Amino acid sequence: MIISHVRKVDSVYEFQSNEEHQRGVAHLACQYASEFGMGEWGTVLGLLHDKGKEQRNFQQYIRKESGFQPELKAEKTPHAYVGAILAKQQFPQCFPLLSNVIAGHHRGLYDFGDLQDLLATEIPIDISLEKVETTLGFPHKDLQKTDFHHLQRMLFSCLVDADRLDTEAFMNPELSSLRKHNNTLEELYERLVAYLNELNNSSEATEVNRVRQYVQQQCIEKSRGDIDFYSLIVPTGGGKTLASVLWALRHAIENRQHRIIIAIPYTSIIVQTAATLKSIFGDENVLEHHSNVNEENISDDELGRRYQLAAENWDYPIVVTTNVQLFESLFSNRPSKCRKLHNICKSVLILDEVQTLPLHFLRPIVDTFKTLNRVFDTSVLFTTASQPTLQGAIRGANSMTQFEGLPEIHEIIPESAALHEKLRRVKLEINENPLNYDEVAKALLEHPRVLCIVNTRRDARELYNRLPKDEGICLHLSRMMCPEHIRQTIRFLKEALKDEHNKVVRVIATQLIEAGVDIDFPVVFRQEAGLDSILQAAGRCNREGLQKLGTTYVFSLQKESRMPRGFITQTNNARLNMVGEFDWFSPHAMREYYRQLYSKIDSFDTVVFEKTQYSMDKLLYKPEAEFEQAANCFRLIDDKTTSVAVNWQNGMEFVSKLKEGNFNYDLMKNLAQYSVNVRQNDMRKLLESGAIEEVLEGIYVIENPDCYDDKVGLITDNQWLEETYIL
């Protein structure tokens, strides 16, 4: 028997034959690929993917490593390339869609040149060469050049998930049995309707609540449309989160789609959104997938294991994840990241806060939306209070920059509803005159409860240092604080705002508090920025409508320093270039803002990686796609920082475990909650001072507690650094 897997039950060895495994994988891969009309392709992938295991050396290796015949002498033998060569020989017209998928099902999709080199290898003599009898064709006649790399990844996803699941079913049937115990979308829809009815019946008859009910009714009525592109543009406070899920569930049921995927740019919003949805639908129906989730914190052991399993392939009715997780998976070449992709087929994708999409990748992202919709039957719903321009011709700084955006996006809420008028709770006062830190601090002190949002960590710390700390509550929030410190501070802030005895609550923060943090101040100050950021900041002002109109003041710190170069300056200039009188909260103002912003963009598809400029167009929009290079280049956040663990609360406990050799994924996730991303200049300063220790390759720690302040986080310029190691 040709063995694929070996397991030991008590003292007895049991075997899964290679034929049994390949047919099991073929069955699952066919099932998954049938969702986009390529079931036969899935069958071929499954039947050929492990042909290389027929090699005598591999058979000896698996017998040795499993403990069945430990006396054998055999080295690990590559096997994936064999099926890839056979696929090219048997289906040359389908190369490299089949061959790259098979060759990469363990290590990842290859760049085309590397794949060609691999396929030049001779097939070992002990491989049987029987042909897979089938005919392959493309189900879509209108495939575009922008579709093929996604089509290849989807087939890759089908094979990888099928391979892992069939292996798991044999090797660990108890674990495998924990999958698939969820409610139907119909049941979840009924739960949400009941929840909203109860909520609406118990709410006061205010204008805000009337608007929320109107939005919900529109979502129900407009949910019966075809699989297409939709938008839900609702000002802050209009209840768009639950309304969007209401629309998505009804729409998915109408179109026989399988799940709802909600992608959100900020983990702070994800945590809040997931908590709300879990309270309505139950933990067993909502997968929260991002770096801050720790399954060990789930009290129910079985549910925790199910969460871990679902995070591998997103086989849950509702998935709440990050933009980074979603888009970097869609452009990845790695099996672990791509495994989930086939479950995006026939789903409803909700893009929350869509205005945060990175402009330097706007074209490949928009092209991806088109492919998901046209080829994989995915509906896309854009939700925001400030919708960017995504449809029609998108024009940049020159004709070479222009590309064709999405076809028509169907608005769920008609612009004539004028929700920005009905939900108006804030006025903007914009002061373009340059100020310094002292002048801004003086203005803040005129208000007992005030939030001030600035553009940089340095500005946040400078303003915080100028406010009195003995008068009520004064807080600082920036990314110089580790995630757990930020989380605890925001929790404390929310409780402080609820207590009416706290007359003075002043907060200085960077943009991290701008969206998704459910707080309410009567007055907000916002350093000059793009219109979308200013409106996000205004969403923290008079959020609950406790006064007729709150005020958001927009100010300049140009007396102190210039605006940071790059995106912040681009967006601020776009706002300043808007000519004429505008109602800043109107859709008309937002359209003009994005017209101005786009008109100064040199490229919507470019990235510099290792000092070389690349585009997804040149890497992927061709038959000879460069999957590995594209995956390295496609980073949603161009973060030129280094993560450094800090000595705050429990941080050093995880560092100690790391030094003891307990390196594992869960430990690194925990350590990330006590780490700060340090910019290059600060990193160099800390390294030169000897403040940083590299405990493992690429893992840095600052153990001295004097370098981390309980109020402002990591300190990179204190006197201690100047005196370190002077004896």
Side-chain angles (χ1 to χ4, degrees):
M1 179 175 65
I2 303 296
I3 297 172
S4 185
H5 298 107
V6 182
R7 71 183 180 198
K8 188 176 182 181
V9 181
D10 296 327
S11 58
V12 178
Y13 285 93
E14 297 179 355
F15 306 95
Q16 182 187 39
S17 72
N18 205 36
E19 181 181 3
E20 180 185 3
H21 174 59
Q22 291 190 128
R23 291 197 176 278
V25 173
H27 172 74
L28 287 175
C30 173
Q31 178 183 322
Y32 301 151
S34 293
E35 296 288 359
F36 49 96
M38 299 182 73
E40 285 300 314
W41 292 67
T43 299
V44 171
L45 291 170
L47 292 178
L48 292 179
H49 82 288
D50 270 359
K51 286 288 288 181
K53 287 185 176 180
E54 295 175 4
Q55 298 171 87
R56 182 173 180 273
N57 285 344
F58 187 91
Q59 289 299 302
Q60 289 187 319
Y61 173 77
I62 197 171
R63 283 168 164 80
K64 170 193 168 188
E65 289 299 306
S66 64
F68 178 61
Q69 291 180 284
E71 72 280 1
L72 293 176
K73 294 182 179 179
E75 299 297 324
K76 189 172 184 179
T77 304
H79 70 277
Y81 76 96
V82 176
I85 297 171
L86 291 173
K88 183 179 181 181
Q89 291 178 353
Q90 296 183 22
F91 302 95
Q93 77 279 13
C94 301
F95 171 79
L97 285 178
L98 292 173
S99 295
N100 204 348
V101 168
I102 294 172
H105 76 272
H106 287 300
R107 62 82 71 187
L109 293 169
Y110 286 81
D111 288 344
F112 186 78
D114 295 335
L115 178 67
Q116 291 280 61
D117 293 342
L118 183 72
L119 297 182
T121 311
E122 293 289 331
I123 296 178
I125 58 174
D126 39 9
I127 301 297
S128 62
L129 301 179
E130 68 269 17
K131 195 174 188 305
V132 178
E133 298 295 338
T134 190
T135 302
L136 301 181
F138 291 101
H140 295 272
K141 295 181 180 179
D142 63 339
L143 286 172
Q144 309 293 315
K145 68 176 184 177
T146 54
D147 298 330
F148 281 96
H149 71 101
H150 286 305
L151 197 65
Q152 195 160 337
R153 273 194 210 83
M154 283 295 182
L155 290 170
F156 184 53
S157 170
C158 294
L159 176 60
V160 169
D161 197 29
D163 185 27
R164 305 297 192 269
L165 289 177
D166 186 79
T167 301
E168 178 184 275
F170 176 77
M171 297 296 293
N172 196 338
E174 181 182 351
L175 192 66
S176 181
S177 68
L178 293 176
R179 295 183 184 271
K180 276 291 195 185
H181 296 281
N182 314 109
N183 292 97
T184 65
L185 294 186
E186 288 83 358
E187 291 169 330
L188 299 185
Y189 177 73
E190 293 303 323
R191 285 190 194 180
L192 181 55
V193 169
Y195 174 85
L196 290 173
N197 285 340
E198 183 178 348
L199 186 65
N200 292 334
N201 291 335
S202 61
S203 299
E204 296 181 17
T206 63
E207 181 64 20
V208 170
N209 287 329
R210 280 191 288 271
V211 167
R212 289 173 178 171
Q213 291 174 32
Y214 167 78
V215 171
Q216 292 166 20
Q217 189 58 41
Q218 288 293 302
C219 284
I220 293 173
E221 292 177 6
K222 303 289 179 61
S223 64
R224 293 173 173 81
D226 295 334
I227 295 172
D228 214 329
F229 299 102
Y230 298 85
S231 68
L232 181 62
I233 305 174
V234 179
T236 301
K240 67 179 171 64
T241 299
L242 290 183
S244 67
V245 177
L246 181 70
W247 177 89
L249 285 171
R250 184 73 252 168
H251 182 80
I253 293 166
E254 292 286 338
N255 289 287
R256 298 183 180 180
Q257 293 163 302
H258 304 317
R259 62 186 45 81
I260 314 300
I261 300 169
I262 306 170
I264 298 173
Y266 310 111
T267 53
S268 57
I269 309 180
I270 292 175
V271 171
Q272 287 185 180
T273 300
T276 300
L277 296 180
K278 288 175 187 177
S279 70
I280 298 170
F281 302 119
D283 287 16
E284 70 278 8
N285 291 306
V286 180
L287 173 66
E288 184 181 356
H289 188 198
H290 57 87
S291 60
N292 288 349
V293 174
N294 188 348
E295 293 83 3
E296 292 180 355
N297 294 333
I298 301 173
S299 57
D300 186 316
D301 290 342
E302 181 176 317
L303 185 61
R305 291 198 299 274
R306 284 171 59 189
Y307 254 60
Q308 288 178 309
L309 296 173
E312 295 170 353
N313 66 356
W314 283 6
D315 194 5
Y316 247 46
I318 298 175
V319 178
V320 187
T321 190
T322 63
N323 284 357
V324 171
Q325 179 70 239
L326 172 69
F327 289 113
E328 291 190 2
S329 294
L330 283 163
F331 285 85
S332 178
N333 74 316
R334 304 300 301 164
S336 58
K337 280 190 171 290
C338 291
R339 178 178 176 179
K340 65 179 82 74
L341 294 182
H342 73 90
N343 277 324
I344 301 177
C345 299
K346 291 190 175 178
S347 68
V348 178
L349 176 60
I350 300 176
L351 268 295
D352 193 27
E353 305 294 352
V354 67
Q355 77 280 357
T356 62
L357 292 176
L359 295 183
H360 62 288
F361 282 139
L362 190 62
R363 181 186 175 188
I365 287 175
V366 169
D367 288 341
T368 297
F369 292 148
K370 295 179 189 175
T371 299
L372 289 176
N373 175 251
R374 186 179 61 254
V375 182
F376 301 112
D377 288 337
T378 300
S379 293
V380 183
L381 175 66
F382 303 106
T383 70
T384 179
S386 48
Q387 173 78 21
T389 302
L390 294 176
Q391 64 182 14
I394 296 178
R395 296 178 172 86
N398 55 66
S399 59
M400 299 296 292
T401 312
Q402 180 173 320
F403 72 97
E404 193 61 32
L406 300 175
E408 183 183 3
I409 301 175
H410 304 285
E411 305 286 351
I412 293 175
I413 307 297
E415 192 169 320
S416 60
L419 295 189
H420 67 284
E421 283 287 352
K422 294 175 182 177
L423 291 175
R424 191 183 299 275
R425 301 189 299 278
V426 182
K427 63 178 179 178
L428 290 184
E429 291 196 9
I430 301 176
N431 179 10
E432 306 291 0
N433 296 322
L435 302 176
N436 60 33
Y437 294 129
D438 291 328
E439 289 168 329
V440 175
K442 182 180 178 182
L444 295 176
L445 291 176
E446 294 177 6
H447 306 280
R449 284 195 169 198
V450 60
L451 167 66
C452 178
I453 301 175
V454 293
N455 293 326
T456 69
R457 304 175 187 188
R458 176 177 178 268
D459 290 337
R461 186 175 170 192
E462 291 289 348
L463 279 174
Y464 175 78
N465 286 340
R466 284 164 170 76
L467 295 182
K469 310 303 184 292
D470 56 354
E471 182 184 347
I473 294 171
C474 185
L475 299 175
H476 166 278
L477 280 163
S478 83
R479 294 294 178 192
M480 293 304 279
M481 301 156 66
C482 65
E484 182 59 26
H485 193 177
I486 292 172
R487 190 159 37 250
Q488 290 184 26
T489 303
I490 291 176
R491 189 184 308 130
F492 173 80
L493 170 60
K494 288 182 176 181
E495 292 301 318
L497 290 172
K498 290 178 184 176
D499 189 344
E500 295 180 357
H501 294 96
N502 293 321
K503 302 299 182 184
V504 175
V505 181
R506 298 189 181 105
V507 179
I508 308 295
T510 57
Q511 300 100 308
L512 70 88
I513 205 169
E514 203 160 75
V517 181
D518 190 8
I519 55 174
D520 185 5
F521 281 86
V523 176
V524 170
F525 280 66
R526 179 57 168 99
Q527 186 180 359
E528 59 182 344
L531 181 59
D532 54 335
S533 292
I534 289 172
L535 296 187
Q536 287 287 352
R540 311 310 113 195
C541 181
N542 196 27
R543 189 178 181 86
E544 301 301 325
L546 300 178
Q547 52 191 330
K548 187 173 182 180
L549 273 182
T551 304
T552 294
Y553 297 94
V554 180
F555 64 93
S556 167
L557 273 173
Q558 296 277 10
K559 270 190 181 179
E560 294 289 350
S561 58
R562 290 185 175 184
M563 292 275 287
R565 286 187 298 177
F567 187 67
I568 292 177
T569 295
Q570 282 182 315
T571 57
N572 188 54
N573 287 341
R575 177 182 61 84
L576 294 174
N577 290 337
M578 295 171 66
V579 178
E581 295 292 325
F582 289 97
D583 175 354
W584 296 113
F585 295 90
S586 69
H588 170 63
M590 192 53 59
R591 284 193 292 270
E592 175 60 17
Y593 165 70
Y594 276 103
R595 190 184 72 80
Q596 292 288 348
L597 179 60
Y598 290 172
S599 70
K600 300 297 189 294
I601 301 299
D602 292 325
S603 173
F604 293 103
D605 179 15
T606 185
V607 63
V608 176
F609 179 74
E610 294 182 348
K611 299 182 180 180
T612 302
Q613 185 168 300
Y614 297 93
S615 72
M616 295 302 110
D617 183 337
K618 297 293 192 294
L619 291 173
L620 294 174
Y621 294 1
K622 58 183 182 179
E624 306 83 11
E626 310 292 339
F627 284 98
E628 190 164 6
Q629 184 64 65
N632 289 333
C633 291
F634 192 92
R635 291 289 180 267
L636 218 60
I637 302 172
D638 186 16
D639 188 8
K640 297 178 181 178
T641 62
T642 303
S643 180
V644 178
V646 295
N647 190 343
W648 187 77
Q649 290 192 352
N650 300 329
M652 290 302 103
E653 293 180 16
F654 299 114
V655 171
S656 297
K657 291 179 181 178
L658 199 61
K659 289 181 175 180
E660 292 167 4
N662 298 320
F663 183 90
N664 59 66
Y665 177 67
D666 288 333
L667 177 61
M668 295 308 296
K669 282 176 68 176
N670 285 322
L671 188 60
Q673 301 311 303
Y674 297 90
S675 299
V676 174
N677 290 331
V678 179
R679 292 194 173 94
Q680 291 176 338
N681 287 342
D682 290 333
M683 188 70 183
R684 184 171 58 252
K685 189 188 303 182
L686 290 164
L687 284 168
E688 289 172 354
S689 71
I692 288 182
E693 175 189 1
E694 188 174 12
V695 294
L696 288 176
E697 184 178 355
I699 300 177
Y700 299 93
V701 177
I702 298 177
E703 292 197 9
N704 193 306
D706 292 332
C707 279
Y708 195 88
D709 184 86
D710 276 339
K711 303 299 182 185
V712 299
L714 181 63
I715 301 171
T716 60
D717 57 357
N718 64 6
Q719 181 183 358
W720 178 86
L721 288 176
E722 305 298 328
E723 298 176 353
T724 303
Y725 300 130
I726 297 177
L727 301 179

